[in-house]
């Protein structure tokens, strides 16, 4: 089984201050930490599990700056056989569509039975790269996948719908799946695997290797801004004792206890 | 000169950090309370290769260098100081001497066990009446046919309660003093070998620290490490390596103290503002961060000396251990200070970190001994 | 300006709420652009849908066939490609749901149409389309301009376009189905209902909900203990379930349960919209989070900016005192 997994390196912002930079079109990144996008860690693990079960090859692909190579190398250490970085610095005005076009250009000549992506990138939040890529590659897809059972070229797939309802599909490979978090338990790379991965070459492709040139993005950024305050919680202040007394008061007042 | 980590060191740091944060850190407060040895986590670390970081692959290890060893031990200790020293002892006080001084049979027999965590290693040097003064040791080993007969007591031995393979130092010829000391590989289930008192420690409480009691223990001759009389030399060489670990452990513990302090100083408000706005608090944070970075550099440098194959780097190792452990205790003390009264309660991790830090100045040669080593090298 | 399309989303014979939000957004845009809104219904036994939606759009385009009974993006994509090519709407609105994210990017890409996803706000003027999206864990908004084109497609986030009253009298237009069978490479088989757990969080008046901020499973006992004190049960955000700390039936949010308790206490939850959707109906929301900029504070009634492990014990004591004073 030949597998491709698309991996994005993203800023970790859940617990960080996010500030707009002076250009007004990007965020201040120097104090942020970057790591593999959350659902991509699950996509990678799913790919490794498949490879362990069926053999074959596993290629990790990322569109990103040179730092994305650190993330790809972790993928190599965890179980990918080879890795490709598409030089993000060669391209401007990337959006989900252009990203998918570039990913396609990078993998179209590879053999594959399955392509995995994450279901959403936690920085840009589009949830569109996987499905767009499937369309460009001309293969069927399923999003928000929480279970895959493969036999020969058949896949039994569970998708997660709203309210925790599961949709069960029968699919035929080759296909693309966007993976939802929680589908498996991502591993840590072993030290030996890390040492082997450090020596592996990462293939880097830039604008000159990408056909067709001049892919147009669908969207361009006009401005970034802090979400309007809207409704704002009344922030309770004072000592912990005072705050707690206030909360207890609120609970009592509403007759909840 | 290059201060950047290599690719494999960066990856190692990334994965060990994540593992330590999500697997080791959560149990650190619990095992501090209960003193329970963290076997589950030790098994997980064995799978990742953390029990044989510097051991070559052919013996089941990961084949990393000594700076990598320091990086890993720092990250582990940042999350859990007990686990940090358990792993350090297995790697450097048990794995290293067998790798360095053992014969092929010994390496094949024992190193894979240590690396896989099937048997953990311990290092038995200290005795009730011989700590800093190693030569005051009373344990003896007498050759009797195919066996040595071992008698004596070892004290304060990390991992002792849970280990399977013990590096034990004893006199084979007391008259020769240092030159009459030898090293033995002793297995846990050897008749006559028992565990004594389990120490109720102030910090690193989950390290199964026990006494080893040897009463006419028959050790097969093939378990002599190297040659008779080489024990002291091996011991000193091994301690040079393990001081890289202890330095790294100190850096990790100090880093956790600093991390907690930064977090707390931004959250805690007095006089209407977060305490991190006060210059006296800032001064402490700045000192802590600078000292930690300096210590880390000394530790990496000691690792670098070993990587280069320097046969004698006692001074560099002692400097790293001495400086890193002193600042670690000091950083932890300041961290408690920054936490105010809360830092003195068990509601915050800093109380544990402070207790954990103190051991650093004591074991693997007290800091006074480190200074003696450094000065001796300077005036040699 | 050409018409605006809104794609009706239904499941198990029921029109999903987001549909009314799409229609409401579509009506507003149509009014501004001086054009009409068409509700596109792909379904089976659609009479009921038509009845319900007749007042909501100027026109109802109905394709009725068994094959649309359950959602299959491949089937929908083939059908909609045909329909959109023929009818050339200026904008097609689809929900940003498990249905929409599976469909929109592929459909739009096939049509060569600029598209974007997860929009909170839409401006359509002089054939230019601008949308507002949320990025970086909801901490920033981005205004995005789409490449100018005759037709666009976007998915809308639920909860951003309140469903409104409308009394249009939509013209119903039935067209033949372009597709009659599911393709072999993707077949819908069945729905599997989520397993029922021991606790039904939707039935409790008081919910104490924990997020990734609880840091580890061991600490859940503190939270459970607190919940018991105040007579509630424990719910959670998705990462807590992903990590295996609580069963799936405790998850609140778009892919979990929707709850409407009298009191909702959110502990260490950032407030991602997928979570908010599941709990914003609560009467009173109290949020505890270390990060003063956490989006949860835009949803909560009361906020405490502090470490949850500091807050919970003190709060528990206070509530116990209060209960004792009463009893
Ligand atoms: C105006 C503008 C400028 C931008 N400039 C830059 C820039 O200079 N550099 C830059 O890196 N990004 C830039 N971006 C962001 C970027 O291009 C987004 O990555 C892209 O829009 C995809 O959206 P998403 O990441 O939300 O994808 P989603 O569709 O949410 O991602 C789903 C999955 O697709 C895969 N995937 C997504 N992106 C990649 C990738 N890059 N490589 C491999 N797999 C991937 C992953 O598996 C991921 O889990 C810019 C965006 C805008 C709007
Ligand atoms: C938690 C813990 C774990 C340990 N783990 C191990 C282990 O795994 N294996 C092992 O073999 N040992 C271990 N030890 C023992 C440790 O290495 C010794 O305690 C240490 O070497 C000091 O020896 P001592 O306790 O006998 O102190 P002493 O040697 O009695 O020293 C007492 C004080 O006198 C000072 N001092 C002694 N001599 C001099 C001198 N010449 N000049 C100046 N000052 C001097 C010392 O610095 C110290 O301050 C452990 C100890 C502890 C507490
Ligand atoms: C298709 C899809 C469906 C989804 N469905 C759901 C769903 O149904 N329900 C759901 O919840 N999510 C859902 N998600 C995930 C959602 O996007 C968020 O990732 C998730 O809600 C974040 O959970 P969190 O707030 O617990 O974690 P984080 O976003 O990581 O936030 C943790 C918060 O805890 C705070 N914190 C940390 N430590 C402390 C402390 N000691 N004291 C106080 N505060 C602290 C931090 O400041 C931070 O704000 C879905 C995602 C997708 C893509």
């Amino acid at each position: 089984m030949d597998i491709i997994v698309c991996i994005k390196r993203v800023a970790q912002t859940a617990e960080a201050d996010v500030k707009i930079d002076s250009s007004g079109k990007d965020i201040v990144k120097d104090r942020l930490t970057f790591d593999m996008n959350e659902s991509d860690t699950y996509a990678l693990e799913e790919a490794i599990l498949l490879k362990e079960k069926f053999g074959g090859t596993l290629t990790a692909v990322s569109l990103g700056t040179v730092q994305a190579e650190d993330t790809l190398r972790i993928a190599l250490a965890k179980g990918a056989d080879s890795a490709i970085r598409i030089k993000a610095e060669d391209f401007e005005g990337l959006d989900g569509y252009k990203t998918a076009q570039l990913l396609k250009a990078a993998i179209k000549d590879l053999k594959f039975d399955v392509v995995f992506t994450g279901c959403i990138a936690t920085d840009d939040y589009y949830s569109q790269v996987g499905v767009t890529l499937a369309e460009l590659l001309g293969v069927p897809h399923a999003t928000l996948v929480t279970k895959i059972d493969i036999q020969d070229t058949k896949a039994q797939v569970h998708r997660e719908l709203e309210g925790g309802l599961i949709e069960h599909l029968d699919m035929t490979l080759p296909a693309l799946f966007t993976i939802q978090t929680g589908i498996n338990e991502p591993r840590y790379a072993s030290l030996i695997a890390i040492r082997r991965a450090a020596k592996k070459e990462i293939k880097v492709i830039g604008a000159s290797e990408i056909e067709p040139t001049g892919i147009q993005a669908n969207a361009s950024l006009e401005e970034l801004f802090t979400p309007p305050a809207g409704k704002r919680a009344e922030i309770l202040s004072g000592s912990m004792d005072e705050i707690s007394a206030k909360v207890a008061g609120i609970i009592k007042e509403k007759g909840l206890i | 000169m290059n201060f950047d980590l290599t690719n494999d060191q960066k990856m190692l740091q990334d994965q060990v950090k994540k593992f330590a944060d999500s697997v080791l850190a959560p149990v650190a407060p619990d095992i501090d309370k209960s003193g329970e040895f963290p076997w589950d986590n030790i098994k997980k670390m064995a799978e990742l290769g953390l029990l044989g970081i510097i051991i070559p692959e052919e013996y089941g290890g990961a084949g990393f260098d000594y700076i990598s060893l320091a990086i890993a031990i720092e990250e582990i200790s940042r999350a859990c100081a007990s686990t940090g020293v358990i792993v350090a002892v297995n790697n450097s006080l048990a794995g290293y001497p067998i790798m360095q001084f053992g014969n092929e049979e010994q390496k094949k027999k024992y190193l894979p066990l240590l690396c896989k965590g099937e048997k953990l290693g311990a290092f038995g040097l200290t005795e009730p009446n011989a700590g800093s003064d190693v030569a005051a040791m009373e344990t003896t080993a007498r050759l009797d046919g195919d066996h040595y007969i071992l008698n004596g007591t070892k004290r304060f031995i990390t991992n002792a309660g849970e280990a399977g393979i013990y590096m034990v130092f004893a006199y084979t010829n007391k008259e020769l003093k240092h030159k009459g000391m030898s090293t033995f590989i002793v297995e846990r289930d050897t008749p006559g070998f028992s565990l004594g008192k389990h120490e109720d420690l102030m910090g690193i409480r989950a390290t199964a620290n026990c006494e080893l009691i040897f009463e006419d223990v028959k050790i097969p001759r093939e378990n002599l490490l190297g040659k008779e009389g080489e024990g002291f030399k091996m011991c000193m060489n091994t301690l040079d390596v393990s001081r890289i670990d202890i330095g790294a452990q100190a850096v990790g513990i100090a880093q956790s103290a600093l991390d907690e302090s930064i977090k707390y100083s931004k959250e805690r408000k007095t006089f209407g503002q977060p305490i991190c706005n006060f210059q006296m608090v800032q001064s402490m944070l700045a000192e802590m961060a600078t000292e930690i970075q300096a210590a880390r550099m000394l530790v990496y440098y000691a690792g670098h000396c070993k990587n280069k194959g320097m046969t004698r780097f006692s001074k560099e190792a002692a400097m790293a251990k001495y400086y890193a452990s002193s600042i670690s205790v000091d950083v932890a003390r300041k961290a408690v200070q920054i936490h105010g009264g809360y830092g003195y309660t068990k509601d915050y991790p800093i109380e544990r970190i402070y207790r954990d830090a103190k051991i650093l100045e004591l074991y693997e040669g007290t800091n006074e001994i480190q200074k003696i080593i450094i000065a001796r090298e300077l005036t040699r | 300006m050409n018409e605006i399309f809104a794609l009706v989303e239904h499941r198990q014979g029921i029109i999903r709420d987001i549909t009314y939000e799409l229609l409401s957004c579509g009506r507003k845009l149509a009014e501004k652009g001086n054009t009409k809104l068409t509700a596109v219904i792909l379904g089976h036994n659609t009479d009921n849908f038509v009845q319900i939606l007749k007042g909501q759009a100027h026109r109802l385009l109905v394709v009725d066939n068994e094959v649309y009974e359950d959602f299959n993006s491949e089937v929908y994509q083939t059908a909609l490609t045909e329909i959109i090519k023929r009818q050339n709407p200026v904008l097609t609105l689809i929900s940003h749901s498990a249905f929409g994210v599976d469909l929109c990017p592929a459909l739009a890409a096939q049509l060569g149409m600029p598209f974007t996803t997860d929009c909170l706000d839409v401006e359509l003027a002089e054939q230019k389309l601008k949308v507002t999206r949320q990025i970086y864990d909801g901490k920033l908004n981005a205004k995005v301009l789409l490449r100018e084109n005759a037709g666009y497609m976007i998915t809308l986030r639920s909860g951003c376009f309140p469903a409104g009253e409308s009394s249009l009298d939509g013209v119903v237009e039935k067209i033949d189905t372009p597709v009659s069978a599911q393709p072999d490479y993707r077949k819908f088989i069945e729905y599997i209902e989520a397993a029922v757990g021991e606790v039904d969080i939707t039935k409790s008046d008081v919910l104490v909900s924990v997020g990734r901020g609880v840091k580890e499973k061991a600490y859940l006992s503190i939270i459970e203990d607190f919940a018991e004190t105040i007579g509630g049960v424990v719910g959670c955000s998705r990462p807590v379930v992903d990590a295996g700390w609580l069963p799936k039936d405790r998850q609140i949010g778009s892919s979990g349960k929707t709850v409407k308790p009298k009191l909702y206490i959110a502990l260490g939850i950032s407030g991602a919209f997928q979570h908010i959707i599941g709990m914003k109906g609560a009467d009173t929301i109290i949020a505890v989070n270390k990060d003063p900029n956490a989006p949860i504070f835009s949803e909560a009634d009361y906020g405490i900016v502090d470490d949850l492990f500091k807050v919970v014990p003190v709060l528990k004591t206070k509530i116990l005192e209060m209960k004792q004073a009463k009893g």
Side-chain angles (χ1 to χ4, degrees):
Chain A
M1 174 133 344
D2 297 310
I3 308 160
I4 294 170
V5 58
C6 300
I7 288 169
K8 186 180 189 190
R9 179 181 173 88
V10 298
Q12 305 294 301
T13 50
E15 298 190 21
D17 269 349
V18 181
K19 296 195 176 99
I20 300 167
D21 74 3
S22 56
S23 77
K25 295 206 171 185
D26 208 342
I27 58 166
V28 181
K29 294 194 170 130
D30 53 355
R31 299 289 312 266
L32 295 173
T33 54
F34 287 76
D35 208 341
M36 193 181 294
N37 179 45
E38 189 182 15
S39 54
D40 299 1
T41 62
Y42 291 89
L44 173 63
E45 180 64 29
E46 202 60 23
I48 299 167
L49 292 172
L50 267 192
K51 196 196 129 176
E52 285 174 348
K53 194 160 169 200
F54 296 105
T57 64
L58 171 53
T59 308
V61 191
S62 186
L63 165 66
T65 56
V66 68
Q67 285 87 348
E69 291 183 19
D70 289 347
T71 308
L72 281 172
R73 233 176 252 109
I74 295 289
L76 289 170
K78 288 190 178 190
D81 302 295
S82 55
I84 303 172
R85 176 173 77 89
I86 311 166
K87 286 161 94 172
E89 56 275 30
D90 276 14
F91 303 93
E92 282 184 341
L94 290 166
D95 71 341
Y97 181 71
K98 194 161 169 179
T99 299
Q101 285 278 12
L102 294 171
L103 289 171
K104 179 209 164 186
I107 65 177
K108 66 177 191 319
D109 297 328
L110 300 181
K111 271 203 329 194
F112 66 85
D113 302 290
V114 179
V115 180
F116 286 114
T117 73
C119 69
I120 188 168
T122 54
D123 53 354
D124 296 311
Y125 250 79
Y126 275 114
S127 290
Q128 56 174 246
V129 169
V131 180
T132 312
L133 180 59
E135 178 63 29
L136 299 175
L137 291 169
V139 297
H141 69 265
T143 52
L144 300 165
V145 170
T146 53
K147 187 175 163 199
I148 305 176
D149 245 329
I150 291 184
Q151 237 148 28
D152 300 324
T153 58
K154 294 281 176 212
Q156 307 269 325
V157 179
H158 284 187
R159 291 184 67 220
E160 185 186 66
L161 310 181
E162 287 77 11
L165 191 68
I166 299 294
E167 180 182 311
H168 174 183
L169 300 173
D170 269 5
M171 296 183 63
T172 310
L173 305 185
L176 181 146
F177 304 106
T178 87
I179 299 298
Q180 175 63 294
T181 54
I183 184 174
N184 51 38
E185 202 181 317
R187 69 190 66 194
Y188 301 96
S190 78
L191 269 57
I192 288 187
I194 285 173
R195 232 160 38 90
R196 303 222 166 103
K199 296 199 193 85
K200 282 192 193 161
E201 189 105 3
I202 291 175
K203 187 172 159 194
V204 179
I205 56 182
S208 53
E209 287 99 333
I210 299 268
E211 291 280 343
T213 48
I215 299 162
Q216 270 196 315
N218 274 331
S220 59
L221 184 68
E222 292 256 289
E223 70 171 310
L224 286 179
F225 57 99
T226 318
K231 179 186 140 189
R232 239 346 248 180
E234 178 188 338
I235 301 292
L236 305 175
S237 57
S239 71
M240 193 50 66
D241 228 43
E242 290 159 8
I243 290 175
S244 299
K246 279 184 207 166
V247 173
I250 293 163
I251 293 173
K252 189 173 169 190
E253 188 186 308
K254 311 236 166 187
L256 291 172
I257 293 182
Chain B
M1 179 107 144
N2 184 358
F3 281 103
D4 291 330
L5 300 185
T6 61
N7 279 339
D8 51 353
Q9 289 167 344
K10 271 196 275 186
M11 282 195 270
L12 170 99
Q13 186 172 49
D14 176 80
Q15 293 291 296
V16 179
K17 192 184 219 105
K18 287 190 179 121
F19 173 80
D21 282 342
S22 54
V23 180
L24 303 180
V27 304
D30 304 339
I31 63 174
D32 172 61
K33 263 189 215 98
S34 67
E36 191 188 325
F37 196 80
W39 263 117
D40 284 355
N41 286 347
I42 300 295
K43 291 281 177 209
K44 288 180 195 157
M45 288 193 284
E47 271 168 42
L48 294 180
L50 287 166
L51 297 190
I53 302 171
I54 48 169
I55 309 297
E57 276 188 50
E58 51 179 318
Y59 302 113
F64 270 88
D65 65 286
Y66 292 83
I67 294 181
S68 304
L69 172 69
I71 292 170
I73 300 293
E74 176 186 337
E75 289 305 333
I76 295 169
S77 306
R78 188 179 49 76
C80 176
S82 284
T83 310
V85 70
I86 294 167
V87 173
V89 166
N90 198 67
N91 268 284
S92 304
L93 288 179
Y96 173 79
I98 295 176
M99 169 178 96
Q100 191 71 15
F101 308 111
N103 58 35
E104 198 53 32
E105 284 83 67
Q106 290 167 336
K107 292 198 231 180
K108 283 220 177 85
K109 180 166 178 197
Y110 292 111
L111 291 176
L113 295 175
L114 289 172
C115 293
K116 291 201 193 77
E118 280 169 31
K119 297 199 167 156
L120 272 188
F123 183 81
L125 176 68
T126 306
E127 296 184 3
N129 296 315
S132 304
D133 185 2
V134 174
M137 177 184 290
E138 290 162 3
T139 301
T140 58
R142 175 172 51 83
L143 186 61
D144 178 17
D146 283 345
H147 289 86
Y148 285 94
I149 309 297
L150 193 64
N151 278 290
T153 299
K154 298 285 175 184
R155 182 115 207 230
F156 291 141
I157 307 307
T158 302
N159 288 355
E162 303 289 338
I165 299 167
Y166 300 76
M167 312 304 295
V168 176
F169 295 83
Y171 275 117
T172 38
N173 186 343
K174 185 124 196 183
E175 257 94 84
L176 295 176
K177 293 238 167 179
H178 299 100
K179 300 222 160 92
M181 201 182 279
S182 304
T183 315
F184 298 91
I185 305 172
V186 181
E187 296 192 37
R188 176 73 184 87
D189 44 14
T190 321
F193 170 22
S194 59
L195 296 175
K197 177 168 181 262
H198 180 284
E199 303 295 344
D200 191 4
L201 301 173
M202 166 177 160
I204 56 162
R205 291 177 46 76
T207 51
N209 194 300
C210 280
E211 254 177 357
L212 312 179
I213 300 167
F214 304 102
E215 291 165 313
D216 288 332
V217 180
K218 277 173 84 179
I219 313 283
R221 239 182 130 154
E222 62 262 27
N223 279 22
L224 173 71
L225 193 67
K227 296 205 196 73
E228 263 192 37
E230 288 182 343
F232 188 78
K233 230 175 63 196
M234 287 182 215
C235 173
M236 292 305 135
N237 180 286
T238 300
L239 286 172
D240 283 347
V241 170
S242 84
R243 281 170 194 148
I244 301 173
D245 291 36
I246 300 309
Q249 194 198 8
V251 173
I253 293 175
Q255 186 66 48
S256 69
L258 175 61
D259 293 345
E260 292 296 332
S261 301
I262 293 173
K263 212 162 67 184
Y264 187 82
S265 69
K266 286 168 139 180
E267 286 166 6
R268 175 69 177 175
K269 291 201 179 86
T270 65
F271 302 97
Q273 50 186 315
I275 59 170
C276 68
N277 287 357
F278 300 121
Q279 290 187 341
M280 273 188 266
V281 173
Q282 292 175 355
S283 164
M284 283 196 270
L285 291 174
E287 285 163 8
M288 291 156 82
T290 310
E291 286 161 0
I292 291 170
Q293 185 63 358
R296 188 178 284 120
M297 291 298 123
L298 282 177
V299 171
Y300 286 1
Y301 185 65
H304 169 73
C305 292
K306 179 65 187 165
N307 283 350
K308 267 203 315 200
M310 266 168 74
T311 45
R312 198 182 168 101
F313 63 107
S314 306
K315 184 181 71 186
E316 289 74 14
M319 283 176 164
K321 192 268 172 182
Y322 154 59
Y323 184 74
S325 58
S326 327
I327 67 104
S328 191
V329 175
D330 200 45
V331 165
R333 181 185 62 76
K334 286 173 181 149
V336 174
Q337 195 65 17
I338 289 173
H339 279 68
Y342 294 97
Y344 201 65
T345 69
K346 293 203 186 280
D347 295 342
Y348 284 86
I350 203 63
E351 174 269 346
R352 168 175 46 92
I353 295 170
Y354 192 29
R355 284 187 286 109
D356 285 341
K358 181 57 208 178
I359 187 59
L360 299 160
E361 295 186 314
L362 297 170
Y363 61 17
E364 315 242 340
T366 64
N367 278 6
E368 290 69 31
I369 298 300
Q370 306 307 315
K371 285 191 261 187
I372 291 173
I373 295 169
I374 297 165
R376 196 178 53 217
E377 295 287 320
L378 294 172
T379 56
R380 217 151 55 119
Chain C
M1 197 157 78
N2 285 358
E3 274 185 335
I4 289 171
F5 275 18
L7 182 61
V8 172
E9 178 171 337
H10 56 87
R11 185 187 298 157
Q12 294 169 305
I14 294 168
I15 298 170
R16 295 183 54 77
D17 288 350
I18 176 79
T19 301
Y20 302 101
E21 299 174 25
L22 296 178
L23 290 167
S24 153
C25 170
R27 281 194 305 272
K28 280 205 188 98
L29 292 172
E31 194 179 329
K32 264 203 197 128
N34 211 1
T35 181
K36 296 213 159 84
L37 171 69
T38 294
V40 181
I41 304 173
L42 306 186
H44 188 45
N45 298 327
T46 49
D47 292 352
N48 185 31
F49 293 171
V50 170
Q51 276 294 312
I52 298 171
L53 298 177
K54 217 166 157 7
Q56 299 265 339
H58 302 97
R59 182 167 75 122
L60 290 86
L61 198 59
V62 182
V63 194
D64 194 317
N65 188 287
E66 248 174 29
V67 76
Y68 305 112
E69 174 143 9
D70 297 303
F71 173 69
N72 178 338
S73 66
E74 297 288 345
V75 171
Y76 275 58
Q77 183 180 337
T78 312
L80 287 165
T81 304
E82 274 298 307
I83 296 168
I84 291 171
K85 267 193 193 149
R86 258 186 265 152
Q87 309 233 353
N88 289 315
V90 61
L91 174 64
T92 303
L93 302 174
I94 300 177
S95 62
H96 194 69
S97 59
F99 165 102
V101 297
D102 210 62
L103 172 65
C104 165
L107 173 60
Q110 184 177 2
L111 288 162
M113 195 177 257
F115 67 95
T116 198
T117 43
D118 194 18
C119 303
L120 281 62
D121 196 13
V122 190
E123 297 163 47
L124 177 61
E126 292 164 24
Q127 206 52 43
K128 284 197 175 54
L129 183 68
K130 257 188 223 174
V131 300
T132 302
R133 307 183 62 257
Q134 222 165 52
I135 55 178
Y136 294 112
D137 293 293
K139 292 190 173 171
L140 287 183
N141 281 2
K143 194 162 269 188
V144 172
L145 176 69
L146 274 81
R147 169 169 65 80
E148 193 163 339
N149 195 55
Y152 301 99
M153 189 174 296
I154 58 176
T155 62
L156 300 187
R157 179 179 289 195
S158 79
C160 297
F161 305 88
E165 293 294 306
S166 161
S167 50
L168 298 172
D169 185 18
V171 185
V172 179
E173 203 177 304
K174 297 205 171 177
I175 54 175
D176 285 342
T177 177
V179 194
S180 53
Q182 297 193 64
D184 281 341
Y185 51 80
R186 174 165 168 163
K187 279 202 157 73
F188 172 87
I189 303 297
E190 60 178 339
Y191 291 117
I192 302 168
E193 297 287 342
V196 192
E198 29 179 311
V199 182
D200 186 352
I201 56 171
T202 62
K203 297 260 155 63
S204 180
D205 278 347
V206 177
L207 271 177
V208 176
S209 194
V210 290
R212 186 149 31 199
V214 73
K215 289 291 187 286
E216 60 191 79
K217 187 174 182 171
Y219 294 148
L220 280 176
S221 57
I222 304 174
I223 310 296
E224 256 145 24
D225 186 42
F226 172 62
E228 203 174 305
T229 306
I230 69 169
V233 296
V234 177
C236 64
S237 70
R238 177 172 190 118
V240 175
V241 174
D242 286 344
W245 299 342
L246 280 173
K248 181 85 182 168
D249 58 43
R250 301 290 185 102
Q251 183 189 317
I252 293 155
S254 64
S255 53
K257 300 241 162 96
T258 301
V259 295
K260 294 191 165 80
K262 294 208 174 93
L263 175 64
Y264 189 89
I265 303 183
L267 303 171
I269 293 179
S270 63
F273 79 95
Q274 293 101 336
H275 186 80
I276 300 288
I277 280 174
M279 47 63 87
K280 64 179 177 194
D283 291 344
T284 302
I285 299 169
I286 301 175
V288 182
N289 197 304
K290 294 192 301 190
D291 178 1
N293 297 319
I296 188 80
F297 291 125
S298 306
E299 204 53 47
D301 300 292
Y302 302 97
I304 302 171
V305 181
D306 213 324
D307 187 335
L308 73 94
F309 294 107
K310 272 197 257 169
V311 178
V312 169
V314 186
L315 192 52
K316 187 182 142 190
T317 320
K318 274 275 165 316
I319 289 172
L320 277 176
E321 278 170 17
M322 189 176 81
K323 275 166 99 175
Q324 266 148 17
K326 241 174 145 182

